[in-house]
Amino acid sequence: MKYKDSKYSIPERVEDLLSRMTLDEKLEQMHCFGCVYTPDEELEFIKKGENKIHSEFYTFVSFTTAQLNRIQKFAVEETRLGIPAYIATECVHGAPTPYTTIFPSNGALAATFDLSLAERASHIEGKELKMLGFNRVYSPNVDLLRDGRWGRSGEDYGEDPYLVGKFGAEIVKGLQAEGIEATIKHYIGYSMPEGGLNLGSGHIGEREMREYFLPSFAECIKAGAMGVMNCYNEVDGVPAGVDPFWMTKVLREELGFTGDVITDYGLTGICWHRHQMVNRSEYQLGKIFLDANIDIEACARDAYGPQMKEMVESGEVDIEKINTAVRRVLTNKFKLGLFDNPYVPEVDEFNIRTKEAHELTYEIEAKGAVLLKNNGILPLKEKKNILLVGPNSMIAQLGGICYFPFAQDGKHEFTCAAAKAIKTHEAFINKFGKENVKVLPCCNFMNVDDKQLTEAVELANKWADVIIFAGGNNAQGYSGGENGGANNPVNLPDACTSNEGYDTDDICICKAQKTVFRTLKETKAPIVFLIYDGKPCSVTEELDDISALIYCFGIGMEGNRAIADIIAGDVVPSGKMTFTIPRSVGQIPIFYNRKPLRGAYDRSGNDEKAGQDYVFSDKKPLFEFGDGLSYTKFEYSDLKVEKVNEKYKVSVKVSNIGDYDADESVLVYTGSLSNIMVCPCVKKLRAFKRIHLNKGESQIVEFILTKEDWAYVGYDMKTAYPVADVKVMVKDLEVIFHI
């Protein structure tokens, strides 16, 4: 049998296997099973005849490599053709298992503007996943962050398609180099839902979709992504994840994607019960899925269930459509080497995390944390008495899609990655000494502890030199779906404010935090505010009374140690924001790469003097994409653009004129002064480079741009180019010229 012989090419092996498969066996390759069950539970279902080994087993509960090998063994040795299974899980910033490394959330990684860190992290993730027995992950998430109310925004790299695409592509390449299929998600237009509510309709036109939302997926496909997961939401009245225009014409034909597409979990039921797009008929839905070139249905057996078999047998559905889907799935499984090496050596799962991995989580956070305000209080050069307060003061706020034992299966209370992560108070006590740090949370994300708050006020007035307020959001919970809402124990004493299915109608810190802050700001101690979790969080009301503000994102295993080092001055902050933080929820949607007409009156008002634009508020955001301070000062000068062989060499001089050796990320933007019939973006990121400068040192930083860096989606939805002058912008410098 050719398909079992590695001397034959992959296409030859695929066609040989396909020719041997019955229709039932083909349809089994178009299904995913598992989800909320352990491998052993699934095997019991199979042995009882309640389930089958389908194309993929997906899990995010605790397991062992032995259990995953048993799933694979059943697929390979106890089925007629021995087709190995995908063993899949999530991997947004590390897999949500008890055993793998949790990295800082994607916003922190992107805020480093250092692609080498993404490359290193992805290889570690891939190695860990492979050792456990996985061969597929639903990662990277290359949605565009457009609405801070949306609970899943903490999973995103940022609001800029170029930046998101570059980081996503590095994750794709690293994972797949380690034998793990990367499945990019959520295609397409998922991340700007109506009202900020997950699964909400996306009000996005085709041009906006192509200009902003599509490029990150295109970049990942160019990098070789083998899988795509579609999305739940509708766009312009049609569920985008099953729309033949986006799924077939654009994804398959325009972008040339040849891998397999899997539905997001439970999309079949959502199409029936929520979108109400068809009658409750597997006939209709199966045809729609096939027309959209969807290859695997997860985790259900409805659209591609018994009715699909009847339609094929009756001739109503062409068998070649089934063959095409199965061919894609089998091709990827052969590419991953699953037919030749289906099993992994059994390991001690808790020995998978390495010192190298832990140190990388520290490095990402040290380079990604963003200093947004500093009145001179930081760094704390001298010995200080620190009062640590806030709902994130005694936990490691890791970001969404992680394994939390209290919210999943109750196991590994002290041994899982989340339990091993350094908590905020541990990092500060280790750094500044137990005698110099007192910890009083004073609140969680729901309630104020009045007794602790009274004690904190006394300490702030009589003992503390500085208050460190560990605030922001809470992503500790069971991710997604009805299980998350019904079974998440964190919801009993507290609230999950950031995760799949946990959206908010505001972007400010929660009421309990506001109460604690208002009380403590009246004391003599200055406040350093830390915003944890990667979801955008506004502190407009508090900002004037904050002495220093650091955006920490989801912290990762060793990230709190990096934050303590930044505050102590042992690390100079160098991260830059990858998304805009609005002043209030009323500014949403707001992003830096906007069109020129927003806020055209330039007469914003305030409470003392009414204006136009916003009558009682500034139209500018609280913080913008690219914002980020340092303990040193950088000066930019001599921006030049030189045309060389149809390319454009951009150079700029960057000088460290401050008192610290430090890193700086140089961001290059392009803009057009005029397009034909289509409004240009004010500016868009087209290149970036992270550099290190010692104090007193200067460097000429160079970039190469091409005509494509000024391209836009024209009136006819095809690529167009400016016909008038264009510009290059770096920091506050600008050069205008004609291409």
Side-chain angles (χ1 to χ4, degrees), residues 371 374 376-382 384 432 548 564-573 630-632 660:
L371 179 65
N374 185 19
I377 191 173
L378 296 182
L380 300 180
K381 297 179 181 178
E382 301 173 356
K384 301 285 186 181
F432 297 100
D565 283 350
I566 287 172
I567 287 175
D570 295 333
V571 170
V572 177
S630 175
Y631 292 155
T632 194
Y660 294 82

Side-chain angles (χ1 to χ4, degrees), residues 323-462:
N323 289 341
T324 296
V326 176
R327 186 177 287 114
R328 294 188 190 114
V329 173
L330 296 178
T331 297
N332 277 356
K333 289 184 177 183
F334 276 111
K335 285 181 178 179
L336 292 172
L338 300 184
F339 283 83
D340 304 314
N341 297 289
Y343 309 123
V344 297
E346 293 182 14
V347 298
D348 179 353
E349 289 81 10
F350 288 104
N351 283 332
I352 285 177
R353 295 193 301 273
T354 63
K355 182 178 179 181
E356 176 196 5
H358 274 243
E359 286 302 315
L360 184 54
T361 70
Y362 172 90
E363 185 178 354
I364 291 171
E365 184 63 29
K367 293 181 175 180
V370 184
L371 179 65
L372 289 171
K373 180 181 179 181
N374 185 19
N375 68 1
I377 191 173
L378 296 182
L380 300 180
K381 297 179 181 178
E382 301 173 356
K383 184 178 179 181
K384 301 285 186 181
N385 289 333
I386 296 172
L387 174 60
L388 180 61
V389 304
N392 281 315
S393 59
M394 297 190 71
I395 59 178
Q397 189 57 250
L398 299 170
I401 317 296
C402 293
Y403 176 94
F404 295 106
F406 62 80
Q408 289 182 306
D409 53 23
K411 300 177 183 178
H412 311 304
E413 183 178 357
F414 304 108
T415 54
C416 72
K420 293 288 187 181
I422 295 176
K423 297 166 182 60
T424 309
H425 70 291
E426 294 172 341
F428 278 86
I429 289 171
N430 290 339
K431 186 67 183 178
F432 297 100
K434 190 173 183 180
E435 70 280 6
N436 297 320
V437 179
K438 294 188 185 298
V439 187
L440 288 169
C442 297
C443 69
N444 59 17
F445 293 91
M446 282 289 290
N447 304 302
V448 176
D449 187 322
D450 293 323
K451 183 179 178 181
Q452 284 191 0
L453 184 54
T454 299
E455 186 179 350
V457 169
E458 184 174 356
L459 286 170
N461 282 320
K462 296 181 180 180

Side-chain angles (χ1 to χ4, degrees), residues 181 225-228 252 256-261 293 295 328-329 332:
E181 178 174 330
M226 297 168 68
V228 166
R252 298 290 188 181
F257 177 67
T258 59
D260 58 28
V261 171
N293 275 278
D295 305 306
R328 294 188 190 114
V329 173
N332 277 356

Side-chain angles (χ1 to χ4, degrees), residues 111 113 367-374 549-551 553 572-579 581 622-634 636 663-667 669 731:
F113 285 86
K367 293 181 175 180
V370 184
L371 179 65
L372 289 171
K373 180 181 179 181
N374 185 19
L549 176 65
I550 301 176
Y551 222 100
F553 302 92
V572 177
S574 56
K576 294 184 183 292
M577 292 304 299
T578 64
F579 51 80
I581 303 176
L622 191 63
F623 297 104
E624 193 172 63
F625 179 95
D627 282 351
L629 304 174
S630 175
Y631 292 155
T632 194
K633 184 177 181 181
F634 294 100
Y636 285 69
D663 287 4
E664 170 72 345
S665 293
V666 184
L667 312 185
Y669 302 89
K731 208 69 171 178

Side-chain angles (χ1 to χ4, degrees), residues 33 178-179 186 190 217 243 297 414 450 539 688:
F33 68 112
E178 300 298 337
H186 305 84
Y190 184 49
F217 287 94
D243 185 346
E297 179 186 11
F414 304 108
D450 293 323
V539 288
F688 55 86

Side-chain angles (χ1 to χ4, degrees), residues 150-387:
W150 187 50
R152 302 197 72 171
S153 58
E155 298 177 39
D156 299 335
Y157 294 98
E159 70 186 25
D160 181 83
Y162 178 83
L163 181 72
V164 173
K166 289 297 182 185
F167 273 89
E170 287 300 321
I171 300 296
V172 165
K173 289 184 286 188
L175 287 171
Q176 293 188 172
E178 300 298 337
I180 305 296
E181 178 174 330
T183 307
I184 55 178
K185 62 181 185 181
H186 305 84
Y187 184 85
I188 185 176
Y190 184 49
S191 55
M192 198 169 72
E194 180 179 280
L197 286 169
N198 197 42
L199 314 187
S201 301
H203 302 288
I204 307 168
E206 182 185 345
R207 178 170 289 99
E208 185 176 10
M209 191 80 89
R210 289 180 177 276
E211 190 89 36
Y212 291 100
F213 292 83
L214 190 61
S216 56
F217 287 94
E219 189 71 18
C220 290
I221 290 168
K222 182 180 175 183
M226 297 168 68
V228 166
M229 175 182 281
N230 66 2
C231 61
Y232 292 126
N233 58 295
E234 67 171 60
V235 174
D236 193 26
V238 178
V242 297
D243 185 346
F245 176 79
W246 292 110
M247 300 303 298
T248 299
K249 182 181 184 301
V250 176
L251 179 64
R252 298 290 188 181
E253 297 172 12
E254 293 183 21
L255 299 187
F257 177 67
T258 59
D260 58 28
V261 171
I262 188 169
T263 68
D264 204 344
Y265 171 71
L267 178 62
T268 307
I270 286 174
C271 286
W272 277 331
H273 302 299
R274 301 298 179 129
H275 290 311
Q276 298 177 311
M277 56 180 289
V278 294
N279 294 327
R280 189 173 175 81
S281 165
E282 292 89 344
Y283 286 94
Q284 290 174 297
L285 203 54
K287 283 184 175 180
I288 289 170
F289 278 24
L290 281 176
D291 286 343
N293 275 278
I294 293 169
D295 305 306
I296 302 175
E297 179 186 11
C299 287
R301 197 167 183 269
D302 297 315
Y304 292 156
Q307 277 77 11
M308 178 57 67
K309 180 182 179 181
E310 293 175 14
M311 285 190 287
V312 173
E313 290 176 336
S314 69
E316 190 176 348
V317 169
D318 187 348
I319 185 64
E320 274 310 305
K321 289 190 174 184
I322 303 296
N323 289 341
T324 296
V326 176
R327 186 177 287 114
R328 294 188 190 114
V329 173
L330 296 178
T331 297
N332 277 356
K333 289 184 177 183
F334 276 111
K335 285 181 178 179
L336 292 172
L338 300 184
F339 283 83
D340 304 314
N341 297 289
Y343 309 123
V344 297
E346 293 182 14
V347 298
D348 179 353
E349 289 81 10
F350 288 104
N351 283 332
I352 285 177
R353 295 193 301 273
T354 63
K355 182 178 179 181
E356 176 196 5
H358 274 243
E359 286 302 315
L360 184 54
T361 70
Y362 172 90
E363 185 178 354
I364 291 171
E365 184 63 29
K367 293 181 175 180
V370 184
L371 179 65
L372 289 171
K373 180 181 179 181
N374 185 19
N375 68 1
I377 191 173
L378 296 182
L380 300 180
K381 297 179 181 178
E382 301 173 356
K383 184 178 179 181
K384 301 285 186 181
N385 289 333
I386 296 172
L387 174 60

